[in-house]
Amino acid sequence: MTESARGNSARSTGGSATRAAVLGGPRTVLGEDQVTEFVRRQLANVDLDGRSVCLVVPDGTRSCPLPLLLTAVHGALAGRVSRLTTLIALGTHAAMGEAELATHLGHPAGGLETRYPGMTVRNHEWWEPSAFVSLGTISADRVAAISGGLLRREVEVRLNRAVVDHDVALVVGPVFPHEVVGFSGGNKYFFPGVAGADIIDLSHWLGALITSSEIIGTRGITPVRALIDEASALIPSRRLALCVVARSGTGSLHAVSFGSPEDAWAAAADVSARTHVRHLDAPVKRVLSLIPEKYEDMWTAAKGFYKLEPVVADGGEVVLYAPHVRELSAMHPEIARIGYHCRDYFTQQWERFEDLHWGVLAHSTHLRGAGTYDPVHGERFRVTVTLATGIPEDVVRGANLNHLDPAEVDIEAFAAEPDTLVVPQAGEVLYRLR
């Protein structure tokens, strides 16, 4: 067992010791009993008796043994806390239905009370204005300081009122390399997980200005992470986090950490950086990215591009193979009208786009990747993005992407090509050049 597995302090992504308790590490695979005992021990040491607790957890687009974690948390809190609510951090994803939630949380259909007696479950209703409460604002000058001058705009910080209606907010979720913030997890479950549109749009557009390929997998406090932490400091509830590092695509865990969202996230991100990043010695000409079915539209399936773009040679191609994906976005149909473009396409014509949702513009740039734009030559892209999906060809090409009939994709033939990389279960593991 490693030192961190014995509960000693971990090292943060910035290199300084954290106060998080940590179990496991990059080469560890934890047993369920180990995880359950760790959760019980950590929560036993926190004064939660008689308090109300809101658990903020991921939706189905993240690999995470949520039934194991929720069972452990519920077992540690039942009979101690006055109220226990689980809030699904959708961001702006589609709501999870009853059957989906039953599978996601690990209880029989219609049997929430059987497995988690006394616990209430709610989707983050981001489309419903009454779901939010305002925590205040972050000034334009402060945004400029955090962003290094990339943005100067005041932003209202709105959060799902379920968080502030409880004494304690406990984040329970995984940490992975992330295209907007560097590494996901921690306070990101509040912003954008259960946040209002203003702070979501601002944070995502800041990430787009930096660019996905630049920020993804960046360790430490990125400008977007700093903005998220600034917003989270306005939450009046006590904030805690149980952060986990999952074996991608499985229900197993490498590590689990507990403490403040900042400390627990830093410890988990350090393990994720050594677990969820693969390095290649040389760029490849083509990638076939095999998208798992947990990504139901291109809005979420685009992670299969973000994680692979850094290892594709100039002039190369990423093919996203997802026959099950049949639409660009279930919740943001405007992306079909805007299309997919490089960052400079928007910044050089900002007057055309500044009144649209910046989060949608950010998604557009993230999937289209690096490129340039000028009024004379138009857009020039570093790599080609090809969709081999169930989305109609006219929709794909109308959105400024290449189309390939998924029936024509021979995975074994792709794998036999010497300059092609085939990546199964794409979307969580980041590929980079040494």
Side-chain angles (χ1 to χ4, degrees), residues 235-316:
I235 299 174
S237 311
R238 183 180 183 184
R239 292 177 295 114
L240 297 168
L242 183 69
C243 296
V244 301
V245 181
R247 293 182 70 191
S248 179
T250 78
S252 301
L253 294 178
H254 291 293
V256 56
S257 58
F258 178 80
S260 71
E262 294 82 6
D263 288 339
W265 166 79
D270 183 61
V271 177
S272 178
R274 293 180 285 160
T275 304
H276 297 139
V277 182
R278 307 280 187 272
H279 288 90
L280 302 185
D281 292 324
V284 296
K285 190 66 177 176
R286 184 172 62 172
V287 170
L288 178 63
S289 186
L290 307 180
I291 306 299
E293 293 197 1
K294 67 183 174 185
Y295 303 129
E296 298 179 349
D297 60 5
M298 193 47 55
W299 187 272
T300 54
K303 290 181 180 293
F305 173 79
Y306 312 149
K307 300 296 197 304
L308 278 305
E309 180 189 7
V311 297
V312 180
D314 292 349

Side-chain angles (χ1 to χ4, degrees), residues 105-258:
L105 305 181
H107 63 79
L112 174 66
E113 184 68 16
T114 302
R115 180 154 185 174
Y116 305 110
M119 187 175 81
T120 302
V121 176
R122 300 168 57 176
N123 278 298
H124 167 54
E125 297 177 329
W126 58 268
W127 56 89
E128 177 55 63
S130 64
F132 295 99
V133 61
S134 178
L135 304 182
T137 61
I138 301 175
S139 71
D141 286 347
R142 184 61 185 147
V143 169
I146 291 171
S147 69
L150 290 174
L151 289 172
R152 182 180 294 274
R153 177 167 174 153
E154 180 181 274
V155 61
E156 183 181 12
V157 179
R158 293 187 305 140
L159 190 68
N160 192 298
R161 67 174 61 251
V163 175
V164 301
D165 284 348
H166 289 72
D167 300 317
V168 179
L170 172 58
V171 168
V172 179
V175 173
F176 288 102
H178 193 270
E179 64 278 2
V180 174
V181 67
F183 280 86
S184 65
N187 283 327
K188 187 178 178 296
Y189 277 91
F190 299 121
F191 302 98
V194 293
D198 292 349
I199 190 69
I200 290 177
D201 283 349
L202 187 78
S203 60
H204 279 66
W205 186 239
L206 174 56
L209 290 174
I210 298 169
T211 74
S212 169
S213 59
E214 179 70 22
I215 204 170
I216 193 168
T218 297
R219 301 173 73 174
I221 305 299
T222 65
V224 181
R225 174 64 62 176
L227 180 65
I228 287 170
D229 287 349
E230 185 95 0
S232 297
L234 298 174
I235 299 174
S237 311
R238 183 180 183 184
R239 292 177 295 114
L240 297 168
L242 183 69
C243 296
V244 301
V245 181
R247 293 182 70 191
S248 179
T250 78
S252 301
L253 294 178
H254 291 293
V256 56
S257 58
F258 178 80

Side-chain angles (χ1 to χ4, degrees), residues 332-416:
H332 302 281
E334 62 267 38
I335 191 62
R337 174 174 53 83
I338 295 168
Y340 291 91
H341 303 278
C342 69
R343 175 196 63 187
D344 294 358
Y345 179 85
F346 295 116
T347 59
Q348 296 296 319
Q349 307 175 88
W350 191 233
E351 69 283 352
R352 290 179 54 194
F353 300 104
E354 62 179 323
D355 293 329
L356 301 177
H357 278 299
W358 292 5
V360 176
L361 302 184
H363 166 71
S364 172
T365 71
H366 291 151
L367 179 55
R368 201 57 191 82
T372 61
Y373 170 84
D374 68 69
V376 176
H377 301 99
E379 289 184 277
R380 296 178 177 179
F381 301 107
R382 194 182 75 80
V383 302
T384 297
V385 182
T386 299
L387 302 191
T389 67
I391 304 172
E393 180 175 357
D394 62 323
V395 175
V396 173
R397 296 196 184 279
N400 203 30
L401 300 173
N402 275 18
H403 173 271
L404 175 64
D405 186 342
E408 297 179 6
V409 175
D410 183 331
I411 296 174
E412 291 185 1
F414 268 78

